[in-house]
Amino acid sequence: MSKSTVPTSVIRRLPRYYRFLGELENQGALRISSRELSERMGSTASQIRQDFNCFGCFGQQGYGYNIKELREKIGNILGVNAISPMILLGAGNLGKAIATHIDFEKRGCRLIGIFDSNPDVQGRIIGELEVKSTDLLEEFCKTEKPIAAVLCIPKTETAAAAAQLISYGIRAFWNFSHYDLKFEHSDIIVESVHLGDSLMTLAFGLHKITGESDSGR
Amino acid sequence: MSKSTVPTSVIRRLPRYYRFLGELENQGALRISSRELSERMGSTASQIRQDFNCFGCFGQQGYGYNIKELREKIGNILGVNAISPMILLGAGNLGKAIATHIDFEKRGCRLIGIFDSNPDVQGRIIGELEVKSTDLLEEFCKTEKPIAAVLCIPKTETAAAAAQLISYGIRAFWNFSHYDLKFEHSDIIVESVHLGDSLMTLAFGLHKITGESDSGR
DNA sequence: TAGATTGTTAATCGATTAACAATC
DNA sequence: TAGATTGTTAATCGATTAACAATC
């Protein structure tokens, strides 16, 4: 029975809590206080307690938090056990890397199909999946009912592909294309990873270090 | 002569402005008002004017902003012309994808070396670079003086590798490992891309859609 | 019980939005 | 000039931090 709406800022921190708690559990730790966790994670004890309280009372006064229990609860909130079937579009370098590098199962997802419009890559095996033609998408979605799609396709194709996928029942996108997906009046979920923007942010920092010479005044 | 300190929230929006302005320029548009840009980008005109004013006065009352000029100015702030030499560690699936998929040059960076500790991948060509042994790192850094490093290495190796690289003169990291790099008392720049966390955030949204059945009560 | 640490309210801080005078 | 739109200040909103009573 979660509080009405949990702020996105809190939700974005949950996977990180989950990771840190996992490590602590592996190290054999049983309990942790918000203060100690805050020191390890570089945040404040106050924020940690506030965050957890969005979902109910996980701790015990005078004791702290039970690591195993807390981790499980956060896992349940994130839905790591409610596996969602996903497909991936675009078996280029990036698509291949995502498909092989990410442990979908650990994160509440399962990759059940990979598609590419390029006949040259169709038929190749990535992980345990054979790359299929995008012509088979509609039929596949009808029978296998994936709920989300990873988009590793060029910017120019993204809008059309997303629209098509929605008509096939896809409700969420993990978007790696440089196109800014937006669906104003619908409940489609979009999680975008703009690698180019991320690198530019880094470049800005570098520029500040190095470029004390230029500066157009 | 930029204002004392620009908030990170603003800096993170700059690459996106840069992208949208690039598209407008390609479409042949000459000027744009903060209102029109806000509608295209899904933000507010107020925010756009505030953001730009962190760096000085880019527009003209009654007219709006000159697209070409504005884009150039943002590009200069981001440092897209002040090329920083970078190296990449870890030529696995992800490292290979980053090296080939990202246009570093467009974003103020140049990839000048790829390194991997695994002899099996050493010697392979990725893009235009040959994967080198990590044994050659120190010597390479001495002569080529890269300033930043992309980390596509396993979590367990990240802390040690980062410390080593800093001793070789590296000042910034584009971190794809699942390890949370932190350098409390130094001016090292870290831009982390936690793909796993990103997927989990998506999974949370999916869980909310699908999992109306369970919910611990 | 006394000490520790939570849950929760209140205070602060920063970021976003609104408003409007300045000005092209 | 009149209309449009910025630059900038003020108001609002949300998120973070501090404080402390509740309680294990």
PDB file of all heavy atoms in Angstrom, chain D residues 2-15:
ATOM      1  P    DA D   2       1.897  53.860 -31.014  1.00  0.00           P
ATOM      2  OP1  DA D   2       0.492  54.249 -31.217  1.00  0.00           O
ATOM      3  OP2  DA D   2       2.510  53.951 -29.681  1.00  0.00           O
ATOM      4  O5'  DA D   2       2.076  52.368 -31.547  1.00  0.00           O
ATOM      5  C5'  DA D   2       1.491  51.980 -32.796  1.00  0.00           C
ATOM      6  C4'  DA D   2       1.564  50.482 -32.948  1.00  0.00           C
ATOM      7  O4'  DA D   2       2.949  50.086 -32.985  1.00  0.00           O
ATOM      8  C3'  DA D   2       0.949  49.697 -31.792  1.00  0.00           C
ATOM      9  O3'  DA D   2       0.346  48.515 -32.313  1.00  0.00           O
ATOM     10  C2'  DA D   2       2.126  49.410 -30.879  1.00  0.00           C
ATOM     11  C1'  DA D   2       3.248  49.231 -31.893  1.00  0.00           C
ATOM     12  N9   DA D   2       4.577  49.615 -31.399  1.00  0.00           N
ATOM     13  C8   DA D   2       4.883  50.516 -30.415  1.00  0.00           C
ATOM     14  N7   DA D   2       6.169  50.653 -30.195  1.00  0.00           N
ATOM     15  C5   DA D   2       6.742  49.776 -31.112  1.00  0.00           C
ATOM     16  C6   DA D   2       8.090  49.457 -31.390  1.00  0.00           C
ATOM     17  N6   DA D   2       9.123  50.010 -30.761  1.00  0.00           N
ATOM     18  N1   DA D   2       8.316  48.543 -32.353  1.00  0.00           N
ATOM     19  C2   DA D   2       7.274  48.000 -32.996  1.00  0.00           C
ATOM     20  N3   DA D   2       5.965  48.230 -32.820  1.00  0.00           N
ATOM     21  C4   DA D   2       5.787  49.140 -31.856  1.00  0.00           C
ATOM     22  P    DG D   3      -0.058  47.251 -31.344  1.00  0.00           P
ATOM     23  OP1  DG D   3      -1.275  46.605 -31.860  1.00  0.00           O
ATOM     24  OP2  DG D   3       0.015  47.729 -29.938  1.00  0.00           O
ATOM     25  O5'  DG D   3       1.173  46.281 -31.627  1.00  0.00           O
ATOM     26  C5'  DG D   3       1.470  45.867 -32.971  1.00  0.00           C
ATOM     27  C4'  DG D   3       2.386  44.665 -32.928  1.00  0.00           C
ATOM     28  O4'  DG D   3       3.697  45.084 -32.456  1.00  0.00           O
ATOM     29  C3'  DG D   3       1.934  43.562 -31.979  1.00  0.00           C
ATOM     30  O3'  DG D   3       2.221  42.307 -32.591  1.00  0.00           O
ATOM     31  C2'  DG D   3       2.751  43.795 -30.716  1.00  0.00           C
ATOM     32  C1'  DG D   3       4.041  44.398 -31.268  1.00  0.00           C
ATOM     33  N9   DG D   3       4.676  45.358 -30.382  1.00  0.00           N
ATOM     34  C8   DG D   3       4.073  46.211 -29.487  1.00  0.00           C
ATOM     35  N7   DG D   3       4.922  46.967 -28.837  1.00  0.00           N
ATOM     36  C5   DG D   3       6.161  46.585 -29.326  1.00  0.00           C
ATOM     37  C6   DG D   3       7.468  47.049 -28.999  1.00  0.00           C
ATOM     38  O6   DG D   3       7.790  47.922 -28.201  1.00  0.00           O
ATOM     39  N1   DG D   3       8.443  46.386 -29.743  1.00  0.00           N
ATOM     40  C2   DG D   3       8.203  45.413 -30.669  1.00  0.00           C
ATOM     41  N2   DG D   3       9.272  44.899 -31.266  1.00  0.00           N
ATOM     42  N3   DG D   3       6.993  44.965 -30.984  1.00  0.00           N
ATOM     43  C4   DG D   3       6.029  45.589 -30.278  1.00  0.00           C
ATOM     44  P    DA D   4       2.097  40.937 -31.778  1.00  0.00           P
ATOM     45  OP1  DA D   4       1.591  39.912 -32.712  1.00  0.00           O
ATOM     46  OP2  DA D   4       1.427  41.208 -30.479  1.00  0.00           O
ATOM     47  O5'  DA D   4       3.622  40.597 -31.463  1.00  0.00           O
ATOM     48  C5'  DA D   4       4.590  40.705 -32.505  1.00  0.00           C
ATOM     49  C4'  DA D   4       5.951  40.368 -31.926  1.00  0.00           C
ATOM     50  O4'  DA D   4       6.399  41.448 -31.075  1.00  0.00           O
ATOM     51  C3'  DA D   4       5.953  39.109 -31.057  1.00  0.00           C
ATOM     52  O3'  DA D   4       7.023  38.295 -31.497  1.00  0.00           O
ATOM     53  C2'  DA D   4       6.145  39.622 -29.638  1.00  0.00           C
ATOM     54  C1'  DA D   4       6.859  40.937 -29.850  1.00  0.00           C
ATOM     55  N9   DA D   4       6.571  41.961 -28.842  1.00  0.00           N
ATOM     56  C8   DA D   4       5.364  42.291 -28.301  1.00  0.00           C
ATOM     57  N7   DA D   4       5.414  43.267 -27.427  1.00  0.00           N
ATOM     58  C5   DA D   4       6.756  43.616 -27.394  1.00  0.00           C
ATOM     59  C6   DA D   4       7.467  44.587 -26.668  1.00  0.00           C
ATOM     60  N6   DA D   4       6.897  45.430 -25.799  1.00  0.00           N
ATOM     61  N1   DA D   4       8.806  44.667 -26.868  1.00  0.00           N
ATOM     62  C2   DA D   4       9.383  43.829 -27.746  1.00  0.00           C
ATOM     63  N3   DA D   4       8.812  42.876 -28.485  1.00  0.00           N
ATOM     64  C4   DA D   4       7.485  42.818 -28.261  1.00  0.00           C
ATOM     65  P    DT D   5       7.264  36.823 -30.942  1.00  0.00           P
ATOM     66  OP1  DT D   5       7.837  36.018 -32.031  1.00  0.00           O
ATOM     67  OP2  DT D   5       6.065  36.388 -30.207  1.00  0.00           O
ATOM     68  O5'  DT D   5       8.403  37.092 -29.870  1.00  0.00           O
ATOM     69  C5'  DT D   5       9.638  37.623 -30.285  1.00  0.00           C
ATOM     70  C4'  DT D   5      10.431  37.927 -29.039  1.00  0.00           C
ATOM     71  O4'  DT D   5       9.894  39.090 -28.374  1.00  0.00           O
ATOM     72  C3'  DT D   5      10.400  36.805 -28.005  1.00  0.00           C
ATOM     73  O3'  DT D   5      11.706  36.553 -27.555  1.00  0.00           O
ATOM     74  C2'  DT D   5       9.550  37.363 -26.906  1.00  0.00           C
ATOM     75  C1'  DT D   5       9.935  38.837 -27.006  1.00  0.00           C
ATOM     76  N1   DT D   5       9.062  39.770 -26.271  1.00  0.00           N
ATOM     77  C2   DT D   5       9.640  40.869 -25.682  1.00  0.00           C
ATOM     78  O2   DT D   5      10.834  41.124 -25.765  1.00  0.00           O
ATOM     79  N3   DT D   5       8.777  41.676 -24.993  1.00  0.00           N
ATOM     80  C4   DT D   5       7.421  41.480 -24.839  1.00  0.00           C
ATOM     81  O4   DT D   5       6.758  42.276 -24.185  1.00  0.00           O
ATOM     82  C5   DT D   5       6.870  40.310 -25.485  1.00  0.00           C
ATOM     83  C7   DT D   5       5.405  40.019 -25.374  1.00  0.00           C
ATOM     84  C6   DT D   5       7.706  39.519 -26.156  1.00  0.00           C
ATOM     85  P    DT D   6      12.081  35.248 -26.695  1.00  0.00           P
ATOM     86  OP1  DT D   6      12.562  34.215 -27.606  1.00  0.00           O
ATOM     87  OP2  DT D   6      11.011  34.931 -25.740  1.00  0.00           O
ATOM     88  O5'  DT D   6      13.324  35.859 -25.897  1.00  0.00           O
ATOM     89  C5'  DT D   6      14.324  36.549 -26.624  1.00  0.00           C
ATOM     90  C4'  DT D   6      14.749  37.799 -25.875  1.00  0.00           C
ATOM     91  O4'  DT D   6      13.575  38.552 -25.491  1.00  0.00           O
ATOM     92  C3'  DT D   6      15.530  37.516 -24.603  1.00  0.00           C
ATOM     93  O3'  DT D   6      16.832  38.082 -24.702  1.00  0.00           O
ATOM     94  C2'  DT D   6      14.721  38.141 -23.481  1.00  0.00           C
ATOM     95  C1'  DT D   6      13.740  39.059 -24.193  1.00  0.00           C
ATOM     96  N1   DT D   6      12.405  39.097 -23.549  1.00  0.00           N
ATOM     97  C2   DT D   6      12.073  40.194 -22.789  1.00  0.00           C
ATOM     98  O2   DT D   6      12.841  41.127 -22.586  1.00  0.00           O
ATOM     99  N3   DT D   6      10.803  40.153 -22.255  1.00  0.00           N
ATOM    100  C4   DT D   6       9.853  39.167 -22.404  1.00  0.00           C
ATOM    101  O4   DT D   6       8.743  39.271 -21.883  1.00  0.00           O
ATOM    102  C5   DT D   6      10.265  38.046 -23.203  1.00  0.00           C
ATOM    103  C7   DT D   6       9.334  36.917 -23.421  1.00  0.00           C
ATOM    104  C6   DT D   6      11.510  38.055 -23.739  1.00  0.00           C
ATOM    105  P    DG D   7      18.007  37.510 -23.789  1.00  0.00           P
ATOM    106  OP1  DG D   7      19.297  37.888 -24.399  1.00  0.00           O
ATOM    107  OP2  DG D   7      17.722  36.101 -23.474  1.00  0.00           O
ATOM    108  O5'  DG D   7      17.780  38.369 -22.468  1.00  0.00           O
ATOM    109  C5'  DG D   7      18.235  39.715 -22.424  1.00  0.00           C
ATOM    110  C4'  DG D   7      17.898  40.335 -21.080  1.00  0.00           C
ATOM    111  O4'  DG D   7      16.483  40.202 -20.820  1.00  0.00           O
ATOM    112  C3'  DG D   7      18.601  39.700 -19.894  1.00  0.00           C
ATOM    113  O3'  DG D   7      19.043  40.790 -19.060  1.00  0.00           O
ATOM    114  C2'  DG D   7      17.522  38.848 -19.230  1.00  0.00           C
ATOM    115  C1'  DG D   7      16.252  39.617 -19.553  1.00  0.00           C
ATOM    116  N9   DG D   7      15.034  38.825 -19.696  1.00  0.00           N
ATOM    117  C8   DG D   7      14.889  37.627 -20.376  1.00  0.00           C
ATOM    118  N7   DG D   7      13.667  37.169 -20.362  1.00  0.00           N
ATOM    119  C5   DG D   7      12.943  38.108 -19.638  1.00  0.00           C
ATOM    120  C6   DG D   7      11.554  38.156 -19.298  1.00  0.00           C
ATOM    121  O6   DG D   7      10.670  37.343 -19.573  1.00  0.00           O
ATOM    122  N1   DG D   7      11.237  39.301 -18.547  1.00  0.00           N
ATOM    123  C2   DG D   7      12.150  40.268 -18.195  1.00  0.00           C
ATOM    124  N2   DG D   7      11.668  41.291 -17.476  1.00  0.00           N
ATOM    125  N3   DG D   7      13.448  40.247 -18.508  1.00  0.00           N
ATOM    126  C4   DG D   7      13.777  39.136 -19.223  1.00  0.00           C
ATOM    127  P    DT D   8      19.618  40.529 -17.620  1.00  0.00           P
ATOM    128  OP1  DT D   8      20.377  41.729 -17.213  1.00  0.00           O
ATOM    129  OP2  DT D   8      20.229  39.186 -17.599  1.00  0.00           O
ATOM    130  O5'  DT D   8      18.283  40.473 -16.746  1.00  0.00           O
ATOM    131  C5'  DT D   8      17.609  41.688 -16.437  1.00  0.00           C
ATOM    132  C4'  DT D   8      16.642  41.406 -15.306  1.00  0.00           C
ATOM    133  O4'  DT D   8      15.551  40.584 -15.784  1.00  0.00           O
ATOM    134  C3'  DT D   8      17.238  40.664 -14.116  1.00  0.00           C
ATOM    135  O3'  DT D   8      16.676  41.202 -12.937  1.00  0.00           O
ATOM    136  C2'  DT D   8      16.754  39.245 -14.317  1.00  0.00           C
ATOM    137  C1'  DT D   8      15.353  39.545 -14.859  1.00  0.00           C
ATOM    138  N1   DT D   8      14.663  38.412 -15.527  1.00  0.00           N
ATOM    139  C2   DT D   8      13.293  38.414 -15.525  1.00  0.00           C
ATOM    140  O2   DT D   8      12.623  39.297 -15.005  1.00  0.00           O
ATOM    141  N3   DT D   8      12.708  37.342 -16.133  1.00  0.00           N
ATOM    142  C4   DT D   8      13.362  36.271 -16.746  1.00  0.00           C
ATOM    143  O4   DT D   8      12.719  35.380 -17.263  1.00  0.00           O
ATOM    144  C5   DT D   8      14.805  36.348 -16.728  1.00  0.00           C
ATOM    145  C7   DT D   8      15.603  35.256 -17.362  1.00  0.00           C
ATOM    146  C6   DT D   8      15.370  37.387 -16.118  1.00  0.00           C
ATOM    147  P    DT D   9      17.372  40.961 -11.549  1.00  0.00           P
ATOM    148  OP1  DT D   9      18.677  41.652 -11.532  1.00  0.00           O
ATOM    149  OP2  DT D   9      17.303  39.524 -11.276  1.00  0.00           O
ATOM    150  O5'  DT D   9      16.368  41.738 -10.564  1.00  0.00           O
ATOM    151  C5'  DT D   9      15.257  42.477 -11.083  1.00  0.00           C
ATOM    152  C4'  DT D   9      13.951  41.906 -10.539  1.00  0.00           C
ATOM    153  O4'  DT D   9      13.487  40.814 -11.389  1.00  0.00           O
ATOM    154  C3'  DT D   9      14.030  41.336  -9.125  1.00  0.00           C
ATOM    155  O3'  DT D   9      12.920  41.802  -8.365  1.00  0.00           O
ATOM    156  C2'  DT D   9      13.972  39.836  -9.344  1.00  0.00           C
ATOM    157  C1'  DT D   9      13.033  39.783 -10.556  1.00  0.00           C
ATOM    158  N1   DT D   9      13.064  38.513 -11.325  1.00  0.00           N
ATOM    159  C2   DT D   9      11.880  37.950 -11.720  1.00  0.00           C
ATOM    160  O2   DT D   9      10.783  38.438 -11.474  1.00  0.00           O
ATOM    161  N3   DT D   9      12.008  36.774 -12.417  1.00  0.00           N
ATOM    162  C4   DT D   9      13.180  36.129 -12.754  1.00  0.00           C
ATOM    163  O4   DT D   9      13.150  35.085 -13.393  1.00  0.00           O
ATOM    164  C5   DT D   9      14.397  36.780 -12.308  1.00  0.00           C
ATOM    165  C7   DT D   9      15.709  36.151 -12.617  1.00  0.00           C
ATOM    166  C6   DT D   9      14.281  37.920 -11.621  1.00  0.00           C
ATOM    167  P    DA D  10      12.783  41.454  -6.838  1.00  0.00           P
ATOM    168  OP1  DA D  10      13.079  42.711  -6.114  1.00  0.00           O
ATOM    169  OP2  DA D  10      13.563  40.223  -6.540  1.00  0.00           O
ATOM    170  O5'  DA D  10      11.245  41.094  -6.652  1.00  0.00           O
ATOM    171  C5'  DA D  10      10.332  41.111  -7.749  1.00  0.00           C
ATOM    172  C4'  DA D  10       9.279  40.038  -7.544  1.00  0.00           C
ATOM    173  O4'  DA D  10       9.596  38.896  -8.388  1.00  0.00           O
ATOM    174  C3'  DA D  10       9.147  39.496  -6.125  1.00  0.00           C
ATOM    175  O3'  DA D  10       7.745  39.371  -5.836  1.00  0.00           O
ATOM    176  C2'  DA D  10       9.895  38.158  -6.182  1.00  0.00           C
ATOM    177  C1'  DA D  10       9.595  37.717  -7.622  1.00  0.00           C
ATOM    178  N9   DA D  10      10.564  36.802  -8.224  1.00  0.00           N
ATOM    179  C8   DA D  10      11.932  36.858  -8.155  1.00  0.00           C
ATOM    180  N7   DA D  10      12.538  35.897  -8.815  1.00  0.00           N
ATOM    181  C5   DA D  10      11.498  35.155  -9.360  1.00  0.00           C
ATOM    182  C6   DA D  10      11.471  33.999 -10.171  1.00  0.00           C
ATOM    183  N6   DA D  10      12.565  33.370 -10.591  1.00  0.00           N
ATOM    184  N1   DA D  10      10.258  33.521 -10.531  1.00  0.00           N
ATOM    185  C2   DA D  10       9.163  34.149 -10.105  1.00  0.00           C
ATOM    186  N3   DA D  10       9.057  35.245  -9.345  1.00  0.00           N
ATOM    187  C4   DA D  10      10.282  35.702  -8.994  1.00  0.00           C
ATOM    188  P    DA D  11       7.178  38.311  -4.792  1.00  0.00           P
ATOM    189  OP1  DA D  11       5.892  38.865  -4.320  1.00  0.00           O
ATOM    190  OP2  DA D  11       8.230  37.935  -3.834  1.00  0.00           O
ATOM    191  O5'  DA D  11       6.826  37.050  -5.703  1.00  0.00           O
ATOM    192  C5'  DA D  11       5.645  37.054  -6.504  1.00  0.00           C
ATOM    193  C4'  DA D  11       5.177  35.623  -6.717  1.00  0.00           C
ATOM    194  O4'  DA D  11       6.255  34.844  -7.253  1.00  0.00           O
ATOM    195  C3'  DA D  11       4.708  34.894  -5.458  1.00  0.00           C
ATOM    196  O3'  DA D  11       3.568  34.098  -5.801  1.00  0.00           O
ATOM    197  C2'  DA D  11       5.918  34.072  -5.048  1.00  0.00           C
ATOM    198  C1'  DA D  11       6.542  33.744  -6.404  1.00  0.00           C
ATOM    199  N9   DA D  11       7.993  33.586  -6.377  1.00  0.00           N
ATOM    200  C8   DA D  11       8.908  34.289  -5.645  1.00  0.00           C
ATOM    201  N7   DA D  11      10.154  33.925  -5.853  1.00  0.00           N
ATOM    202  C5   DA D  11      10.053  32.905  -6.785  1.00  0.00           C
ATOM    203  C6   DA D  11      11.016  32.108  -7.422  1.00  0.00           C
ATOM    204  N6   DA D  11      12.334  32.215  -7.199  1.00  0.00           N
ATOM    205  N1   DA D  11      10.582  31.182  -8.314  1.00  0.00           N
ATOM    206  C2   DA D  11       9.269  31.086  -8.538  1.00  0.00           C
ATOM    207  N3   DA D  11       8.261  31.780  -8.001  1.00  0.00           N
ATOM    208  C4   DA D  11       8.739  32.684  -7.128  1.00  0.00           C
ATOM    209  P    DT D  12       3.019  32.978  -4.794  1.00  0.00           P
ATOM    210  OP1  DT D  12       1.561  32.888  -4.984  1.00  0.00           O
ATOM    211  OP2  DT D  12       3.610  33.188  -3.455  1.00  0.00           O
ATOM    212  O5'  DT D  12       3.659  31.670  -5.420  1.00  0.00           O
ATOM    213  C5'  DT D  12       3.263  31.271  -6.742  1.00  0.00           C
ATOM    214  C4'  DT D  12       3.947  29.956  -7.044  1.00  0.00           C
ATOM    215  O4'  DT D  12       5.379  30.103  -6.903  1.00  0.00           O
ATOM    216  C3'  DT D  12       3.545  28.815  -6.116  1.00  0.00           C
ATOM    217  O3'  DT D  12       3.159  27.737  -6.942  1.00  0.00           O
ATOM    218  C2'  DT D  12       4.812  28.517  -5.313  1.00  0.00           C
ATOM    219  C1'  DT D  12       5.886  28.952  -6.287  1.00  0.00           C
ATOM    220  N1   DT D  12       7.206  29.319  -5.703  1.00  0.00           N
ATOM    221  C2   DT D  12       8.349  28.798  -6.268  1.00  0.00           C
ATOM    222  O2   DT D  12       8.329  28.024  -7.223  1.00  0.00           O
ATOM    223  N3   DT D  12       9.523  29.205  -5.688  1.00  0.00           N
ATOM    224  C4   DT D  12       9.662  30.065  -4.611  1.00  0.00           C
ATOM    225  O4   DT D  12      10.764  30.355  -4.182  1.00  0.00           O
ATOM    226  C5   DT D  12       8.422  30.582  -4.069  1.00  0.00           C
ATOM    227  C7   DT D  12       8.460  31.533  -2.915  1.00  0.00           C
ATOM    228  C6   DT D  12       7.263  30.191  -4.640  1.00  0.00           C
ATOM    229  P    DC D  13       2.187  26.598  -6.427  1.00  0.00           P
ATOM    230  OP1  DC D  13       1.045  26.518  -7.372  1.00  0.00           O
ATOM    231  OP2  DC D  13       1.966  26.773  -4.966  1.00  0.00           O
ATOM    232  O5'  DC D  13       3.098  25.318  -6.641  1.00  0.00           O
ATOM    233  C5'  DC D  13       3.908  25.212  -7.825  1.00  0.00           C
ATOM    234  C4'  DC D  13       5.170  24.478  -7.485  1.00  0.00           C
ATOM    235  O4'  DC D  13       6.070  25.333  -6.749  1.00  0.00           O
ATOM    236  C3'  DC D  13       4.971  23.258  -6.589  1.00  0.00           C
ATOM    237  O3'  DC D  13       5.085  22.110  -7.409  1.00  0.00           O
ATOM    238  C2'  DC D  13       6.076  23.364  -5.531  1.00  0.00           C
ATOM    239  C1'  DC D  13       6.956  24.495  -6.048  1.00  0.00           C
ATOM    240  N1   DC D  13       7.646  25.302  -5.011  1.00  0.00           N
ATOM    241  C2   DC D  13       9.043  25.397  -5.037  1.00  0.00           C
ATOM    242  O2   DC D  13       9.677  24.794  -5.908  1.00  0.00           O
ATOM    243  N3   DC D  13       9.667  26.149  -4.104  1.00  0.00           N
ATOM    244  C4   DC D  13       8.953  26.787  -3.175  1.00  0.00           C
ATOM    245  N4   DC D  13       9.622  27.522  -2.279  1.00  0.00           N
ATOM    246  C5   DC D  13       7.527  26.704  -3.124  1.00  0.00           C
ATOM    247  C6   DC D  13       6.916  25.954  -4.055  1.00  0.00           C
ATOM    248  P    DG D  14       4.877  20.639  -6.842  1.00  0.00           P
ATOM    249  OP1  DG D  14       4.340  19.795  -7.926  1.00  0.00           O
ATOM    250  OP2  DG D  14       4.187  20.770  -5.538  1.00  0.00           O
ATOM    251  O5'  DG D  14       6.372  20.166  -6.550  1.00  0.00           O
ATOM    252  C5'  DG D  14       7.364  20.234  -7.565  1.00  0.00           C
ATOM    253  C4'  DG D  14       8.699  19.900  -6.941  1.00  0.00           C
ATOM    254  O4'  DG D  14       9.096  20.967  -6.057  1.00  0.00           O
ATOM    255  C3'  DG D  14       8.682  18.640  -6.078  1.00  0.00           C
ATOM    256  O3'  DG D  14       9.913  17.976  -6.307  1.00  0.00           O
ATOM    257  C2'  DG D  14       8.600  19.195  -4.661  1.00  0.00           C
ATOM    258  C1'  DG D  14       9.515  20.402  -4.833  1.00  0.00           C
ATOM    259  N9   DG D  14       9.455  21.422  -3.807  1.00  0.00           N
ATOM    260  C8   DG D  14       8.361  21.950  -3.172  1.00  0.00           C
ATOM    261  N7   DG D  14       8.676  22.873  -2.293  1.00  0.00           N
ATOM    262  C5   DG D  14      10.063  22.948  -2.352  1.00  0.00           C
ATOM    263  C6   DG D  14      10.973  23.760  -1.629  1.00  0.00           C
ATOM    264  O6   DG D  14      10.734  24.611  -0.777  1.00  0.00           O
ATOM    265  N1   DG D  14      12.289  23.519  -2.010  1.00  0.00           N
ATOM    266  C2   DG D  14      12.673  22.601  -2.954  1.00  0.00           C
ATOM    267  N2   DG D  14      13.984  22.494  -3.188  1.00  0.00           N
ATOM    268  N3   DG D  14      11.837  21.839  -3.637  1.00  0.00           N
ATOM    269  C4   DG D  14      10.554  22.065  -3.281  1.00  0.00           C
ATOM    270  P    DA D  15      10.165  16.459  -5.944  1.00  0.00           P
ATOM    271  OP1  DA D  15       9.642  15.622  -7.028  1.00  0.00           O
ATOM    272  OP2  DA D  15       9.684  16.258  -4.555  1.00  0.00           O
ATOM    273  O5'  DA D  15      11.753  16.345  -5.928  1.00  0.00           O
ATOM    274  C5'  DA D  15      12.564  17.472  -6.239  1.00  0.00           C
ATOM    275  C4'  DA D  15      13.588  17.688  -5.159  1.00  0.00           C
ATOM    276  O4'  DA D  15      13.122  18.664  -4.203  1.00  0.00           O
ATOM    277  C3'  DA D  15      13.951  16.457  -4.336  1.00  0.00           C
ATOM    278  O3'  DA D  15      15.344  16.500  -4.108  1.00  0.00           O
ATOM    279  C2'  DA D  15      13.170  16.662  -3.051  1.00  0.00           C
ATOM    280  C1'  DA D  15      13.363  18.164  -2.897  1.00  0.00           C
ATOM    281  N9   DA D  15      12.449  18.844  -1.994  1.00  0.00           N
ATOM    282  C8   DA D  15      11.095  18.677  -1.865  1.00  0.00           C
ATOM    283  N7   DA D  15      10.550  19.456  -0.954  1.00  0.00           N
ATOM    284  C5   DA D  15      11.628  20.175  -0.458  1.00  0.00           C
ATOM    285  C6   DA D  15      11.725  21.172   0.527  1.00  0.00           C
ATOM    286  N6   DA D  15      10.672  21.628   1.213  1.00  0.00           N
ATOM    287  N1   DA D  15      12.946  21.692   0.779  1.00  0.00           N
ATOM    288  C2   DA D  15      14.001  21.236   0.082  1.00  0.00           C
ATOM    289  N3   DA D  15      14.037  20.307  -0.860  1.00  0.00           N
ATOM    290  C4   DA D  15      12.800  19.815  -1.087  1.00  0.00           C
TER     291       DA D  15
END
